[in-house]
Amino acid sequence: MLTQVWLAIGLVAVAWFIRAIRNHASAKLDFPVVGSPGDRDFSKALVDGYAKYPDKPFYIPTSPARLILPMTLFNEAMHAPTTHLSFLRNVYDLFLGLYTHIGRQHEDLILTIRSDLTKNLPAMLPLLQDEINHGLPKEFGTSGQWTPIPAYMKMLRLVALVSGRIFVGLPLCREETWIHASISYTTDVAAVMHASQKWNSVLRPIVAPFLPEVRKAQADLKHARQCVAPLVGEVMAKYDPEKQDKVKVGTRGTFISWMLKYQPDDQRTAERVGINQMVLSFVSIHTTSMTITFALLDLASRPEYIEPLRAEIEEVIKEDGMLKDENGQEHLSKSSFQKLVKLDSFIKESQRFNPLNLIGGFRTTLQDFTFSDGLKLPKSTVVAFPMWAIYQSSSTEAFGPEINAKAGNPGPDVFDGFRFAKLRAVPGYEAKHQMATTSEDSLNFGHGPHSCPGRFFAVYEIKSLLVNIIRHYDIRLKDGKQPSHIVNQVANVPDPRALVEVRRRNV
Ligand code: HEM
């Protein structure tokens, strides 16, 4: 009997193995390949591929290989049902979502961000700016002498602190264990991805639970959940479905109380809330801090932008004044931020030159899928769009010769911090090309129904930090040394060793 059971288990395992290998093999389609498998940086392959095959798919031989689709299919892909083309599937596979929870369905979290977090932005701005007033002098110092600081590490800590003020509130957001936990979970998950990619995709599910990186991520997740558990317990004990909409921003545990109302009764558990908090840290903290680091490095590398940006901020403050909260803390209102058109443009141009991923609109086919032009893709194909090439091409409408002539803009190969401000001055373009606006020309936050729900929060957080930095600090490169990027296939991150020098101003 025992022998038969083992035989049955063996047969199932062999069948699974053959099916997995077949699925794996079926992912290879007959399309041209641009770039070489060993390339460290696929930016050139994307530009070359897009120039040679603007209307046809091509592969870039990253690990795993990505099929780059033509932009004519972009809107169709972004609006396809998630049962056919899934963003989360690719994320789940890459980051071993079974163990890390990244890429799982977190509808409650997405609804909280899309609805409550975004709707309450005006009320959140005083809190964001208060936390920056508290954290910035600690991280940048208050010396009137030039002081070197590691740009990325400082931004990471500041973003974790400031986001924490909204996500978990005082006093937890200022506790080192929480700041550390919310930063390190993302690093853990990235380590899981790198470790798992070393294994063949067929063997990966077998070895995954034994990888030291997976074990560390799980241990850190448990620790983070313990940190937040007292707060979660407190908020859950007071949960009242009738009152959740009216929870005042700034009350302890506001974000958690918003989230509870989207959870079905049988799923409203402390464990789920704790995991969601860490997923929230994962999606928000590193993306936001890398974006602001790139902006800061661009500012230090191009000092000619500092004075015009400072002048714009002071002009708006002169016009609108600063508002005061109940503790007498001064802050800028949402409508004042909206007048900072040059700042918005500078950050957007920095994002264009430094996208965190060189490709956008990642999707995995969950079943065989046929596009309206007849392109057939089998199940499990990973597709994406050539974001870097779009940003560098003069055939992209926003960077083409016709609009450049109207706006007085240079070609797309030139960094022009006020490019988007000038575009917004062209009649008919006033509402387009803002930092949070997504389109086929602007893919940093995705586009369409699944575009980043946290982008409005991210934009105001980044601007609040930059306004405070530009007003209160002088910035320059350390020894005039241009900071480098680290490109790993299609991921693009600031060099964590890059230093800038800061000096407190007398204002
Ligand atoms: C500058 C910072 C950020 C960047 C560049 C960024 C970028 C992105 C991108 C490219 C996507 C995928 C969109 C798609 O392909 O359809 C995404 C999804 C997402 N982002 Fe962001 N993001 C940022 C900040 C944030 C913040 C602060 C939050 C939370 C407050 C957040 C929450 C999310 C969530 C929950 C998703 C998944 C949406 C879904 O599955 O439908 N992001 N983000």
Side-chain angles (χ1 to χ4, degrees):
M1 179 63 185
L2 201 62
T3 322
Q4 282 161 330
V5 172
W6 277 115
L7 197 64
I9 292 173
L11 282 175
V12 170
V14 170
W16 173 81
F17 193 74
I18 292 170
R19 208 188 64 176
I21 287 182
R22 275 208 192 126
N23 280 349
H24 189 64
S26 72
K28 304 256 179 305
L29 300 167
D30 190 19
F31 291 117
V33 177
V34 184
S36 310
D39 284 352
R40 185 99 196 127
D41 174 352
F42 279 87
S43 54
K44 186 172 176 313
L46 285 167
V47 171
D48 293 349
Y50 184 60
K52 201 164 170 195
Y53 308 108
D55 306 317
K56 278 193 351 205
F58 63 92
Y59 268 114
I60 49 168
T62 44
S63 163
R66 267 73 168 216
L67 184 65
I68 305 299
L69 297 184
M71 287 306 283
T72 43
L73 300 180
F74 181 70
N75 274 318
E76 197 177 340
M78 294 304 104
H79 287 86
T82 50
T83 45
H84 294 57
L85 289 187
S86 163
F87 164 66
L88 286 183
R89 183 61 207 221
N90 181 46
V91 178
Y92 185 86
D93 289 347
L94 263 183
F95 297 110
L96 297 191
L98 182 62
Y99 305 99
T100 61
H101 298 272
I102 304 302
R104 285 186 168 181
Q105 283 290 352
H106 293 276
E107 207 46 42
D108 44 356
L109 180 62
I110 293 179
L111 285 169
T112 314
I113 298 170
R114 202 183 294 285
S115 170
D116 304 71
L117 189 75
T118 306
K119 194 172 71 192
N120 285 294
L121 262 171
M124 252 169 242
L125 280 173
L127 304 181
L128 286 179
Q129 291 170 77
D130 180 48
E131 206 53 36
I132 295 169
N133 288 338
H134 163 81
L136 191 58
K138 283 192 176 5
E139 297 300 331
F140 275 30
T142 50
S143 169
Q145 304 296 316
W146 286 107
T147 313
I149 54 159
Y152 180 53
M153 281 319 293
K154 292 294 179 188
M155 287 304 144
L156 197 50
R157 284 184 56 80
L158 278 163
V159 169
L161 176 79
V162 175
S163 312
R165 178 72 183 265
I166 305 302
F167 298 163
V168 294
L170 285 169
L172 186 58
C173 69
R174 292 186 188 170
E175 284 173 19
E176 272 308 316
T177 43
W178 174 255
I179 295 180
H180 184 255
S182 50
I183 289 175
S184 63
Y185 194 58
T186 307
T187 332
D188 285 349
V189 174
V192 166
M193 180 191 77
H194 288 300
S196 72
Q197 292 296 318
K198 291 183 188 141
W199 292 87
N200 175 288
S201 62
V202 176
L203 293 175
R204 208 171 290 151
I206 303 167
V207 297
F210 306 105
L211 291 173
E213 291 80 1
V214 169
R215 287 170 177 249
K216 178 169 185 314
Q218 288 181 316
D220 283 355
L221 179 61
K222 192 169 165 203
H223 171 69
R225 275 176 36 214
Q226 282 162 353
C227 284
V228 80
L231 176 65
V232 175
E234 197 183 298
V235 179
M236 287 184 76
K238 285 194 265 171
Y239 176 67
D240 177 351
E242 304 295 311
K243 294 190 182 152
Q244 295 312 98
D245 266 336
K246 301 179 188 82
V247 180
K248 189 170 173 278
V249 176
T251 317
R252 214 169 118 73
T254 316
F255 190 90
I256 296 172
S257 32
W258 287 334
M259 193 158 58
L260 293 180
K261 70 182 179 212
Y262 298 114
Q263 294 177 338
D265 288 345
D266 58 338
Q267 289 174 29
R268 197 175 299 117
T269 62
E271 187 191 4
R272 189 180 171 100
V273 175
I275 289 172
N276 276 358
Q277 282 296 143
M278 295 320 287
V279 173
L280 179 62
S281 297
F282 175 83
V283 291
S284 60
I285 291 177
H286 284 253
T287 44
T288 307
S289 47
M290 283 193 269
T291 303
I292 187 168
T293 303
F294 274 130
L296 193 71
L297 296 176
D298 281 332
L299 205 53
S301 315
R302 301 174 167 89
E304 66 276 17
Y305 285 101
I306 295 178
E307 275 316 318
L309 289 173
R310 215 170 250 163
E312 182 184 63
I313 296 167
E314 294 311 330
E315 185 71 39
V316 169
I317 293 176
K318 206 166 128 203
E319 215 172 280
D320 294 1
M322 297 282 266
L323 303 182
K324 282 198 178 158
D325 68 11
E326 57 229 38
N327 304 318
Q329 288 280 352
E330 289 192 324
H331 61 270
L332 277 180
S333 69
K334 189 164 179 248
S335 58
S336 296
F337 273 106
Q338 280 163 348
K339 293 183 182 170
L340 299 173
V341 177
K342 286 184 180 161
L343 182 68
D344 190 279
S345 172
F346 185 85
I347 310 167
K348 195 172 172 79
E349 180 71 341
S350 173
Q351 280 190 299
R352 182 177 78 87
F353 255 68
N354 316 284
L356 308 183
N357 222 313
L358 303 176
I359 50 184
F362 280 95
R363 297 293 182 263
T364 304
T365 52
L366 295 188
Q367 47 185 280
D368 294 356
F369 187 82
T370 306
F371 279 95
S372 55
D373 71 346
L375 173 69
K376 282 191 173 63
L377 298 179
K379 183 180 167 190
S380 302
T381 310
V382 181
V383 300
F385 293 85
M387 174 154 54
W388 176 251
I390 303 298
Y391 286 173
Q392 291 299 311
S393 168
S394 48
S395 60
T396 305
E397 200 217 328
F399 318 121
E402 201 183 316
I403 188 73
N404 283 347
K406 285 187 194 159
N409 279 342
D413 52 324
V414 176
F415 183 104
D416 181 341
F418 299 147
R419 168 188 300 279
F420 294 104
K422 287 181 273 170
L423 272 180
R424 284 170 66 182
V426 174
Y429 284 76
E430 296 85 348
K432 293 183 185 171
H433 305 299
Q434 300 184 34
M435 194 189 159
T437 319
T438 68
S439 70
E440 284 185 47
D441 298 355
S442 181
L443 304 173
N444 289 70
F445 293 111
H447 180 54
H450 304 289
S451 55
C452 174
R455 66 188 188 280
F456 302 98
F457 176 76
V459 163
Y460 280 96
E461 188 175 23
I462 292 170
K463 286 184 186 172
S464 301
L465 271 158
L466 279 177
V467 163
N468 204 322
I469 293 172
I470 292 170
R471 287 194 79 204
H472 294 110
Y473 290 88
D474 290 320
I475 312 148
R476 70 178 186 193
L477 292 174
K478 170 98 175 83
D479 303 326
K481 209 169 142 217
Q482 287 293 331
S484 52
H485 298 196
I486 298 182
V487 181
N488 185 358
Q489 300 205 343
V490 286
N492 176 38
V493 297
D495 185 342
R497 294 160 304 185
L499 297 176
V500 289
E501 288 189 320
V502 293
R503 180 174 69 182
R504 185 87 184 172
R505 300 174 70 225
N506 281 326
V507 278

